[in-house]
Amino acid sequence: MRGTKWNLMPVGGPLFHHDLVVGGADRPWDEAWGAGFHRNLGRTFGRGFTWGIQGDDLPDEANRITLDPSTPDSDGLPGVRIHYTVSENSRRMLAWNLARVREAMAATGATETYEVPLWGTGIGHVLGTAVMGDDPARSVVDRWGRTHEVPNLYVMDSSAFVTGGAVNPGATILALALRAAEHLADERRAQATPR
Amino acid sequence: MTAAAPLSPAARATLRELADALIPGGAGQPSASTAGVADVLIDRVLAVRLKAAPSFVALLERLAADPGPGTPTERAQRLRRDHPTDFQLLAGFVVGAWQLAEPVRAAIGYPGQGPSDVTFEDETGYVTEGLLDPVLERGPRAPGI
């Protein structure tokens, strides 16, 4: 369900290239190191490209942020704990697209391919947790990013996203923020403030 | 965040041996020791990898104090097999230091990172080419909301 975006990218500099292409823990020593290091670096560096598959991770109430008293900040306030699991839909969607990428790579004449089925560290966009909606029972902010519970408090970033989409969210974040800011300015005389 | 303690001579010697086991030289590319990995290059990496540097220094000091049997290659292989996280730390620093050397960059055809001169026209060409014309003609999707 839903979709993906494919990003065509270079493989990166030699350190990243080595980690990705031949330096993995599952590689035989003679391939990754020693004479193999030089042989494979010379053979592959600057001769590859990457297809990055970016998928729409569906919203799931089990994916959430909770307060964590065991990890307080420097002011003694509770820290946060992130609860996140990659969904079955996302795994299947990525697997299907990975199979299509194999086909695309073969069609370009690739002699070797290396796959990372799920890139879990540092890749992705953090969205949701303060979702937008008309019903205070099912959302945190209204259509303008104004919180239902706290007067005069707005959330204007990707926290307000209800769904993620498969594309980079930067432009949408900017558009929502501009829209919310314009509304805030237009309605500034009608804002309820905490007493 | 403060810098890690410098590598001792013994740790540096151990690094020199293990780095050459990983990157011995060949195919027109210099070895780790020829490139200077265990000397000024590793110090450059330690200076910028402040979070990982203490662990790296501690690892090299441990390996220097208790290298275990075998050749440097056998010791590196044993580290990779028995302590893969430690090996990844070693390997990352060694390869990162090695690629800083100018002879290495010349040999592998990697000029390093540098500024990318992007002009205003580069970024707005898609507008002048008409790619966004349908969006502009359509106007706002949800007027009044």
Side-chain angles (χ1 to χ4, degrees):
Chain A
M1 187 188 298
R2 301 292 279 244
T4 63
K5 172 183 149 213
W6 288 18
N7 307 294
L8 182 61
M9 303 175 291
V11 176
L15 180 62
F16 186 80
H17 171 88
H18 182 264
D19 285 349
L20 180 65
V21 175
V22 292
D26 58 342
R27 294 285 175 181
W29 177 272
D30 291 341
E31 281 187 23
W33 303 106
F37 175 89
H38 297 292
R39 183 174 59 247
N40 285 306
L41 188 62
R43 186 174 58 81
T44 61
F45 183 63
R47 295 180 172 81
F49 65 94
T50 301
W51 273 121
I53 305 165
Q54 187 172 325
D56 185 358
D57 201 26
L58 296 178
D60 186 335
E61 288 187 355
N63 293 335
R64 64 200 187 281
I65 307 291
T66 56
L67 295 178
D68 185 1
S70 69
T71 57
D73 65 13
S74 56
D75 294 317
L77 296 174
V80 296
R81 183 169 295 276
I82 301 172
H83 306 264
Y84 176 76
T85 303
V86 179
S87 70
E88 179 64 22
N89 184 76
S90 288
R91 291 185 184 277
R92 292 174 61 185
M93 179 171 59
L94 292 176
W96 186 90
N97 277 271
L98 195 56
R100 306 288 81 73
V101 165
R102 288 189 207 107
E103 295 166 359
M105 289 280 193
T108 63
T111 56
E112 294 175 33
T113 57
Y114 302 87
E115 298 178 8
V116 181
L118 183 65
W119 208 311
T121 56
I123 305 292
H125 303 96
V126 183
L127 313 173
T129 75
V131 297
M132 179 183 293
D134 293 330
D135 182 359
R138 295 181 55 78
S139 58
V140 178
V141 303
D142 69 9
R143 61 184 62 194
W144 302 109
R146 181 176 50 208
T147 58
H148 292 301
E149 291 188 7
V150 181
N152 213 29
L153 174 64
Y154 284 71
V155 176
M156 298 186 184
D157 70 349
S158 59
S159 308
F161 282 27
V162 178
T163 55
V167 298
N168 301 64
T172 307
I173 295 170
L174 291 173
L176 272 181
L178 176 62
R179 177 175 168 276
E182 288 177 340
H183 179 265
L184 178 62
D186 290 343
E187 298 294 315
R188 62 192 179 277
R189 299 190 194 286
Q191 296 305 312
T193 55
R195 291 189 177 279
Chain B
M1 195 174 294
T2 56
L7 285 170
S8 68
R12 210 173 280 272
T14 296
L15 174 62
R16 194 169 290 114
E17 288 183 331
L18 295 177
D20 270 357
L22 271 58
I23 308 177
Q29 303 162 23
S31 69
S33 56
T34 301
V37 165
D39 307 303
V40 63
L41 294 180
I42 199 65
D43 293 336
R44 286 176 58 185
V45 178
L46 288 169
V48 296
R49 292 291 308 275
L50 293 178
K51 281 183 70 174
S55 298
F56 177 81
V57 171
L59 171 63
L60 264 298
E61 297 295 344
R62 284 202 310 273
L63 294 175
D66 185 12
T71 65
T73 296
E74 290 168 343
R75 285 152 44 199
Q77 289 173 331
R78 185 167 60 243
L79 183 69
R80 188 186 193 222
R81 183 192 66 226
D82 297 343
H83 303 283
T85 303
D86 286 344
F87 179 83
Q88 280 300 111
L89 179 64
L90 171 71
F93 271 69
V94 167
V95 178
W98 182 75
Q99 73 174 48
L100 293 175
E102 287 304 324
V104 169
R105 293 184 170 192
I108 66 175
Y110 174 61
Q113 297 189 2
S116 176
D117 295 326
V118 178
T119 67
F120 180 77
E121 287 70 28
D122 291 334
E123 291 301 304
T124 59
Y126 55 84
V127 176
T128 58
E129 291 166 4
L131 184 65
L132 292 182
D133 286 350
V135 178
L136 295 172
E137 290 166 5
R138 185 187 65 199
R141 286 292 293 269
I145 291 182

